[in-house]
């Protein structure tokens, strides 16, 4: 946004003072959520890098094993979009690299090759969390505001970001009165969880992933047009009382949300039962997912790929469901599609899970990372292109004597946040 015009001098002096007071009050809100990264570390990358998404410069097209990215400060969170990478520093700065065709890097990359190495996004406020989709990036600031850049797409192409058909190349603030505590992105949609437990969504609604746009209007918003999709609005749940959400997660074309009572709701694409529904119909409104209702299990997190889901319970057990091709469920050679969470064997106490399109990851409580699924893009870190049908521990020189804190997976590349063992 351009320069802000100064207040005209002839206004009564009382007004500006009041305004300042108001601003001060909102600043006092310090948001927090368990998903915000606390520990700082270093960034490792692997997989395909043909558009600079590895951040290793113009000459590095792929890495079979994790490679270290040079960054100017310690990083507390990594996010991987379709073809770009986002790193958040412990001081609240954002560094991006990769494909910038749609503006997903949020910075000027006119200098030849500048998109292939980390560059800082100019954003005045301190950022506490980031998320990335196919060609958009979102940033949550410490006062609960959300900035976004890039563009959303549907099956026919660009639909815009905040305004119809317009991509945004530098961060713009989303006009939302509520304080947001978590942002999460699918391929082409954004989900915002507010401090009071509401969910707001924006982006593409073709697969029901917004949870608030009926099928009739899902294609480009119907009569009201694209603004119906692009202006964030609240997701309403059909239930007796008000549902307060405490967490939200995305797959490529779906959304999961956990309520304060521990119920799991979902909406979006479930053509391979990836939402855990018995049917394979698309869900355009939130439904309570009964397959996650087990009195002894408390669900900690969900991660979704293109057609599958990996989830983690509070005991550190990993489960998967959805499409089985290429081994992405981690349930062993020849496993078939699952419509409910099925335990993944061979992992010893997990603390985090992540998914790419057709790959899955789990970080153990000891800080090792395991990968399984499609090997084509070298995202598994095995050094080979073979698919893995069961979890395989990721190895490599850069992982020796290091603990993995976080993993994020993009379209064809994977990003790890690690720290040295002796620091823990």
């Amino acid at each position: 946004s351009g320069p802000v015009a100064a207040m005209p001098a002839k206004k009564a002096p009382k007004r500006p003072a009041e305004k300042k007071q108001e601003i001060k009050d909102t600043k006092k809100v310090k948001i927090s959520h368990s998903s915000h990264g606390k520990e700082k570390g270093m960034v490792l990358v692997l997989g395909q890098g043909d558009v600079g998404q590895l951040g290793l410069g113009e000459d590095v097209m792929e890495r079979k094993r994790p490679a270290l990215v040079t960054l100017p400060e310690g990083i507390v969170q990594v996010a991987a979009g379709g073809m770009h990478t986002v790193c958040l520093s412990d001081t609240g700065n954002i560094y991006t690299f990769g494909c910038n065709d749609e503006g997903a890097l949020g910075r000027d990359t006119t200098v030849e090759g500048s998109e292939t190495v980390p560059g800082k996004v100019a954003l005045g406020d301190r950022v506490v969390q980031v998320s990335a989709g196919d060609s958009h990036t979102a940033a949550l600031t410490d006062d609960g505001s959300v900035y976004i850049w890039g563009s959303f797409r549907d099956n026919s192409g660009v639909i815009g970001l905040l305004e119809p058909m317009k991509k945004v190349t530098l961060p713009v603030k989303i006009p939302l009165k509520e304080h947001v505590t978590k942002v999460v992105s699918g391929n082409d949609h954004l989900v915002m969880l507010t401090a009071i437990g509401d969910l707001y969504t924006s982006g593409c609604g073709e697969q029901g992933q917004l949870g608030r746009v009926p099928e009739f209007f899902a294609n480009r918003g119907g009569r009201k047009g694209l603004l119906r999709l692009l202006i964030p609005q609240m997701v309403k749940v059909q239930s007796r009382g008000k549902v307060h959400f405490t967490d939200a997660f995305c797959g490529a074309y779906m959304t999961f949300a956990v309520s304060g009572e521990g119920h799991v709701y979902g909406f979006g694409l479930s053509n391979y039962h990836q939402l855990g529904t018995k049917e394979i119909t698309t869900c355009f409104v939130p439904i309570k997912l009964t397959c996650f209702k087990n009195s002894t299990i408390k669900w900690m997190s969900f991660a979704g790929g293109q057609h599958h889901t990996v989830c983690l319970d509070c005991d550190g057990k990993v489960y998967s469901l959805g499409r089985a091709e290429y081994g992405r469920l981690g349930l062993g050679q020849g496993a078939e599609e699952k419509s409910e969470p099925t335990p993944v064997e061979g992992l010893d106490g997990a603390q985090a899970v992540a998914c790419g399109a057709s790959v899955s990851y789990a970080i153990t409580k000891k800080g090792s990372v395991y990968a399984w699924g499609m090997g084509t893009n070298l995202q598994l870190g095995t050094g080979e292109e073979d698919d893995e049908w069961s979890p395989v521990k990721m190895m490599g020189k850069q992982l020796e004597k290091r603990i993995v804190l976080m993993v994020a997976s993009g379209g064809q590349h994977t990003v790890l946040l690690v720290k040295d063992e002796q620091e823990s």
Side-chain angles (χ1 to χ4, degrees), residues 175-229:
L176 198 65
K177 289 189 169 63
E178 306 266 357
H179 294 287
V180 175
T181 57
K182 184 181 184 183
V183 289
V184 54
S185 292
N187 280 15
D188 283 289
H189 75 293
L190 177 70
V191 179
M192 294 173 280
L193 173 72
T194 71
I196 57 172
D198 290 328
L199 281 188
Y200 283 77
T201 59
S202 65
C204 172
E206 281 179 326
Q207 292 87 12
Q209 61 267 61
L210 298 184
R212 59 172 181 79
V213 179
E215 183 163 12
F216 189 66
F217 299 117
N219 182 5
R220 303 221 157 185
R223 269 197 321 277
K224 284 190 187 167
L226 288 170
L227 287 176
R228 182 194 287 265
L229 308 173

Side-chain angles (χ1 to χ4, degrees), residues 67-116:
L68 187 67
V69 179
T70 307
L71 284 146
E73 34 182 342
I75 299 298
V76 292
Q77 193 206 340
V78 289
M83 295 189 291
H84 73 291
T85 306
V86 185
C87 302
L88 173 64
S89 83
D90 60 329
T91 61
N93 290 321
I94 297 173
Y95 298 88
T96 59
F97 42 94
C99 180
N100 201 24
D101 295 356
E102 304 283 352
L105 298 190
R107 60 185 177 90
D108 180 3
T109 54
T110 44
V111 175
E112 183 77 24
S114 60
E115 76 283 359
T116 68

Side-chain angles (χ1 to χ4, degrees), residues 42-76:
M42 299 158 279
V43 176
L44 304 181
V45 288
L46 63 151
Q48 300 297 335
D50 49 336
V51 290
Q53 66 266 57
L54 297 180
L56 302 171
E58 293 179 86
D59 304 330
V60 182
M61 291 301 164
E62 62 174 40
R63 285 308 302 243
K64 293 184 176 182
R65 301 273 184 199
L68 187 67
V69 179
T70 307
L71 284 146
E73 34 182 342
I75 299 298
V76 292

Side-chain angles (χ1 to χ4, degrees), residues 46-342:
L46 63 151
Q48 300 297 335
D50 49 336
V51 290
Q53 66 266 57
L54 297 180
L56 302 171
E58 293 179 86
D59 304 330
V60 182
M61 291 301 164
E62 62 174 40
R63 285 308 302 243
K64 293 184 176 182
R65 301 273 184 199
L68 187 67
V69 179
T70 307
L71 284 146
E73 34 182 342
I75 299 298
V76 292
Q77 193 206 340
V78 289
M83 295 189 291
H84 73 291
T85 306
V86 185
C87 302
L88 173 64
S89 83
D90 60 329
T91 61
N93 290 321
I94 297 173
Y95 298 88
T96 59
F97 42 94
C99 180
N100 201 24
D101 295 356
E102 304 283 352
L105 298 190
R107 60 185 177 90
D108 180 3
T109 54
T110 44
V111 175
E112 183 77 24
S114 60
E115 76 283 359
T116 68
V117 290
K120 191 169 157 184
V121 176
L123 202 159
D125 302 352
R126 185 191 170 104
V127 174
V128 292
Q129 204 217 342
V130 290
S131 71
D134 265 1
S135 39
H136 75 273
T137 304
L140 172 65
T141 65
D142 63 358
D143 68 350
S145 305
V146 179
Y147 288 82
I148 190 167
W149 54 93
S151 81
F152 294 123
R153 304 174 66 93
D154 66 7
N155 281 328
S156 318
V158 170
I159 59 172
L161 198 67
L162 286 170
E163 290 180 61
M165 310 310 288
K166 284 196 182 135
K167 67 177 185 185
V168 173
T169 56
L170 297 172
V172 287
K173 192 170 174 172
I174 292 182
L176 198 65
K177 289 189 169 63
E178 306 266 357
H179 294 287
V180 175
T181 57
K182 184 181 184 183
V183 289
V184 54
S185 292
N187 280 15
D188 283 289
H189 75 293
L190 177 70
V191 179
M192 294 173 280
L193 173 72
T194 71
I196 57 172
D198 290 328
L199 281 188
Y200 283 77
T201 59
S202 65
C204 172
E206 281 179 326
Q207 292 87 12
Q209 61 267 61
L210 298 184
R212 59 172 181 79
V213 179
E215 183 163 12
F216 189 66
F217 299 117
N219 182 5
R220 303 221 157 185
R223 269 197 321 277
K224 284 190 187 167
L226 288 170
L227 287 176
R228 182 194 287 265
L229 308 173
L230 299 178
I231 295 174
Q233 285 171 23
M234 197 171 102
V235 176
K236 295 186 172 68
V237 181
Q238 294 291 309
S239 85
R240 287 201 192 92
K242 174 117 173 72
V243 176
H244 289 277
F245 292 107
T246 54
D247 219 338
F249 306 90
C250 285
Y253 308 108
M254 58 185 169
T255 305
F256 290 94
V258 182
S259 76
E261 297 85 50
H263 297 298
V264 180
Y265 291 81
F267 40 94
L269 190 66
S270 198
N271 55 344
Y272 291 90
H273 307 282
Q274 60 264 46
L275 272 180
T277 50
K278 288 276 171 279
E279 290 77 37
I280 53 168
T281 46
T282 299
C283 302
F284 285 87
V285 292
I287 52 168
K288 200 184 275 187
L289 299 169
T290 51
C291 77
F292 294 105
K293 195 67 201 131
N294 175 329
S295 57
T296 61
I297 294 178
K298 186 168 182 288
W299 296 99
M300 294 296 287
S301 76
F302 296 80
Q306 200 172 8
H307 298 130
H308 77 295
T309 301
V310 176
C311 24
L312 174 69
D313 73 13
C314 64
D315 294 331
K317 211 153 175 35
V318 176
Y319 304 75
S320 63
L321 60 154
R323 189 175 183 180
E325 273 96 338
Y326 314 117
R328 71 190 91 183
L329 296 184
L331 301 174
Q333 193 76 41
E336 294 183 356
E337 196 171 300
K338 299 288 181 222
S339 62
E340 47 187 58
T342 309

